[in-house]
Amino acid sequence: VKFSLCSANFGNVSLKKSIERAAELGFDGIEITVMFHARPTINIKERKNIKKWISDSGIECSALHFIFDKDIKLASEDEIDIENSITHIKSVIDLAVDIGTNVIVVGGGGSRSTKSFQNKSEIEKNLIKIFSITGGYALEKNVFLAIEALNRYETNFINTLKEAKHFADKTNCPNIKIMGDTFHMNIEEISIPQAIEETDENLIHLHFADSNRLAPGEGHIDFKSIIHTLKNKIYKGFCSFEVFAISPDLLHFNTYEEADRHMKLGKSFIDKLIQ
Ligand code: LER
Ligand code: MN
């Protein structure tokens, strides 16, 4: 099991500093919060810099996450929205290749939610189309798209790992996989360890946050049995601390010092469980 943390966890500091601090704290990787730290509009020089900061720190880029902003409407019947979504996801795939990661987290709760006036099965058909096309593009570039199950207060589309798997299967793309987030799973799954246990090699990534969205150990989720299950499964993916609210600009921590204290606490809590 490898551990990383999301770059925006450190509050309002630069990406370079988040990368360096993740390495100093003993994390194996950094997950880049795209809409906060590395939008697809950044140029090639900036991409090379990020890649170098990561390799100079001796860690990996575990994934890209928070890839959608409010302009992207995934759940739509409008051809222009669908085209925009496809173009945007392709640009994030190119970004992943340039930064040097092969995992992209597909969250976007608000964006993929269907509205009451929409025809749910029509929207689902469009979502399958969007991800079949971008999944094909990702396959050429050796990138995996990990569909994230999110809780019901963030989306009405894909709340459990089983539903994520069902959707991934419908796209017919071998590189469309699934991921869970302990914060969401605490609300939606009957048992977090059991839900993890029941996945196969399709589970390629995890987000770690406690019941209150703080660092592991600061709420009431039973991380001991989660770690036990992951070790039994010989899970090879990353568990990435994702410690902030539903949008990366709604940071939990205003100061770097406060964020740093929580990351340290979480890391030592997990280190004790992993031994
Ligand atoms: C939001 O709650 C979340 O878990 C993110 O990973 C979604 O992109
Ligand atoms: Mn998450």
Side-chain angles (χ1 to χ4, degrees), residues 31 65-67 105-109 148-151 154 179 181 183-184 207 213 242 244-247:
E31 179 163 330
H65 81 135
F66 267 110
I67 66 167
V105 171
V106 178
E148 183 177 20
L150 298 167
N151 80 67
E154 290 188 27
M179 64 160 294
D181 176 321
F183 172 78
H184 300 293
H207 279 162
R213 195 100 235 189
E242 190 192 49
F244 46 74
I246 54 171
S247 168

Side-chain angles (χ1 to χ4, degrees), residues 56-265:
D56 284 353
S57 299
I59 57 174
E60 292 172 54
C61 181
S62 56
L64 303 184
H65 81 135
F66 267 110
I67 66 167
F68 302 111
D69 68 10
K70 288 173 189 67
D71 297 339
I72 298 298
K73 296 180 182 70
L74 289 171
S76 176
E77 279 151 299
D78 184 319
E79 276 306 319
I80 293 175
D81 288 338
I82 294 171
E83 271 315 307
N84 283 344
S85 293
I86 293 170
T87 307
H88 176 73
I89 297 167
K90 283 182 176 174
S91 73
V92 177
I93 294 166
D94 293 336
L95 182 69
V97 172
D98 291 341
I99 289 180
T101 182
N102 66 352
V103 177
I104 297 174
V105 171
V106 178
S111 178
R112 74 190 198 208
S113 295
T114 55
K115 320 295 175 292
S116 54
F117 57 86
Q118 288 176 323
N119 177 331
K120 210 167 174 168
S121 62
E122 203 53 41
I123 294 293
E124 191 183 351
K125 242 176 43 205
N126 292 344
L127 285 163
I128 291 167
K129 177 180 159 189
I130 291 170
F131 285 99
S132 312
I133 293 171
T134 53
Y137 186 75
L139 188 61
E140 284 171 29
K141 310 261 169 174
N142 214 357
V143 169
F144 294 91
L145 303 180
I147 309 291
E148 183 177 20
L150 298 167
N151 80 67
R152 68 191 64 193
Y153 305 106
E154 290 188 27
T155 189
N156 61 5
F157 190 67
I158 308 179
N159 302 123
T160 61
L161 290 185
K162 271 209 181 94
E163 288 166 5
K165 172 75 168 63
H166 201 59
F167 179 77
D169 287 346
K170 285 187 189 165
T171 65
N172 240 328
C173 289
N175 59 324
I176 300 211
K177 304 286 193 187
I178 64 168
M179 64 160 294
D181 176 321
T182 53
F183 172 78
H184 300 293
M185 294 174 82
N186 180 54
I187 297 170
E188 298 296 343
E189 305 286 356
I190 295 170
S191 147
I192 302 178
Q194 197 183 323
I196 293 174
E197 188 68 57
E198 283 168 6
T199 59
D200 45 24
E201 68 288 349
N202 283 292
L203 181 78
I204 59 160
H205 195 71
L206 282 167
H207 279 162
F208 267 21
D210 217 319
S211 49
N212 47 8
R213 195 100 235 189
L214 289 174
E218 298 194 273
H220 56 70
I221 290 180
D222 177 11
F223 278 96
K224 192 172 174 191
S225 40
I226 295 173
I227 295 287
H228 180 78
T229 307
L230 292 173
K231 278 172 122 180
N232 268 351
K233 251 181 106 69
I234 325 180
Y235 171 75
K236 290 199 186 63
F238 269 95
C239 299
S240 201
F241 288 23
E242 190 192 49
V243 183
F244 46 74
I246 54 171
S247 168
D249 44 337
L250 299 175
L251 298 166
H252 263 337
F253 311 112
N254 292 323
T255 66
Y256 167 76
E257 287 70 22
E258 215 210 323
D260 190 54
R261 189 172 64 77
H262 287 272
M263 294 310 117
K264 246 176 111 166
L265 272 174

